[in-house]
Amino acid sequence: MPAVVIVGAQWGDEGKGKATDALGARVDYVVKFNGGNNAGHTVVVGGEKYALHLLPSGILTPGVTPVIGNGVVIDLSVLFAELEALTARGVDCSRLLVSANAHIIASYNTTIDKVTERFLGARKIGTTGRGIGPTYADKMNRIGIRVQDLFDRNILQQKVAGALDQKNQLLVKVYNRRAIAVDEVVEELLSYADRLRPMVADTALVLGQALDAGKTVLFEAGQATQLDVDHGNYPFVTSSNATAGGACTGSGVPPTRIDRVVAVAKAYATRVGEGPFPTELNDADGDRLRAAGHEFGTTTGRPRRCGWYDAPIIRYAARINGLTDLVLTKLDILTGWDRLPVCVGYDVDGVHHTEVPLTQTDFHHAVPVYEYFEGWDDDITGVRSFEDLPKNAQRYVIALEELAGVRISAVGVGPDRDATVVRHDLLG
Ligand code: GDP
Ligand code: IMO
Ligand code: MG
């Protein structure tokens, strides 16, 4: 099973990092294809916790080649800080490859991300403030800085000057900030060039050759389906394609080479930042889920909004991504509830919907329609086979599988790499 894509089914933080890491030893390449250090993946290996932002989760497994694809936006200060921190903990990062076509998050874009949010006030997106949106905007606007530009001082100087021509007007005249000097940015970026150069490769070529040689390549999405710029709840989304199609455009590996698409879904739902979230619980139940699931952002530390599992959202993810498998995570967090509501449709101004509504206005008005399932009390964190789960937990999983129309191939019962009930081999 050579090429497998892993995406998030909901609003991010489903446990993609753990899922990637758990497949680790059987994978040759792990490719990050979208987003940047807005992502936050917590991976727990033998009780040791790792928080990754920019590096693909595969970096924790010896022998895996981690790849940062062309679709990623890179904050170089974060890249090197993360590499240094992992190296200091004994992780071998020497195989990392970085696409020459990936875009760089220049410091002016981090500034613009933050001031734009402040100016939006009540209309803000709740971004991570990492410069993601402005950097992708520059890419589309054809004024972006790419990794390869760092190896040609003249080109870099020209490109930074071109970008700052516009941005300084914006910063000074609209946002009342100081202008940024071209040389300041150029020198900062060049200070990383020598260290970056050995990692830079034609990653599309490397991955194409790896697949020709029968290697196993895992594409790991940042963010998730509902945060995808085309298919999520626009404008409350990130600025990249976090769905399966993004694995192709963001890596240079064509759709015909993808064998399997796996989505990770939490057994309930969470969201960070603004935007519609029909099953959100603004009450003690929401607080209880947040406390049990430690639902605080890996990147910004913000409390995550919590709610019940939303089946139409997962069906939507199945359709948009062409899912072959689901990984259901954090089932252990649902232990101890008398009954578990699952959203099976929405009431929108008196009209029943079984699918995600067409318009943003309708989605904002969507009131969930619930079906209720009986809960369980037994601690399931030590369970490793489906038959050993409490009967009601089994029923919950089977019901979600039927509602999704996609098989649930693995069920997470704890944060550690091994705390998973495997039902079907994701690489088999
Ligand atoms: P990602 O961004 O999709 O990689 O997810 P995050 O790492 O941001 O958030 C998922 C959190 O849930 C992390 O703290 C994981 O360690 C944790 N986690 C993942 N799977 C499970 C699980 O099955 N049970 C429990 N209790 N925690 C899990
Ligand atoms: P992982 O990979 C959850 C959210 C932000 C905000 C919106 C836009 O850990 O699942 P951005 O900074 O990307 O422009 O912010 O997207 N967001 C995430 N939420 N998990 C993530 O990544 C996220 N990355 C961005 O909170 O609402
Ligand atoms: Mg996360």
Side-chain angles (χ1 to χ4, degrees), residues 5 7 33 221 225 228 241-249 258 261 320-323:
V5 180
V7 298
F33 61 81
T225 304
D228 183 284
N241 286 116
T243 45
C248 298
T249 52
I258 305 293
V261 183
I320 295 291
N321 295 291
L323 297 184

Side-chain angles (χ1 to χ4, degrees), residues 52-131:
L52 300 166
H53 297 287
L54 185 51
L55 293 168
S57 307
I59 199 143
L60 298 176
T61 308
V64 169
T65 300
V67 178
I68 294 182
N70 57 276
V72 174
V73 289
I74 304 175
D75 183 326
L76 290 167
S77 65
V78 173
L79 176 69
F80 287 106
E82 220 165 83
L83 286 173
E84 277 160 27
L86 285 179
T87 306
R89 290 177 74 178
V91 177
D92 174 15
C93 300
S94 62
R95 287 178 314 278
L96 176 69
L97 298 178
V98 178
S99 166
N101 292 343
H103 281 245
I104 301 284
I105 303 178
S107 53
Y108 48 77
N109 279 334
T110 312
T111 305
I112 288 173
D113 190 2
K114 290 177 184 153
V115 290
T116 310
E117 280 282 283
R118 210 169 306 141
F119 268 67
L120 278 172
R123 289 178 296 120
K124 71 177 193 287
I125 307 296
T127 73
T128 59
R130 302 297 195 262

Side-chain angles (χ1 to χ4, degrees), residues 103 108-109 133-145 163 166-167:
H103 281 245
Y108 48 77
N109 279 334
T135 303
Y136 279 113
D138 283 2
K139 172 178 174 173
M140 293 308 174
N141 219 2
R142 293 158 296 185
I143 56 164
I145 311 294
Q166 299 177 11
K167 286 170 198 289

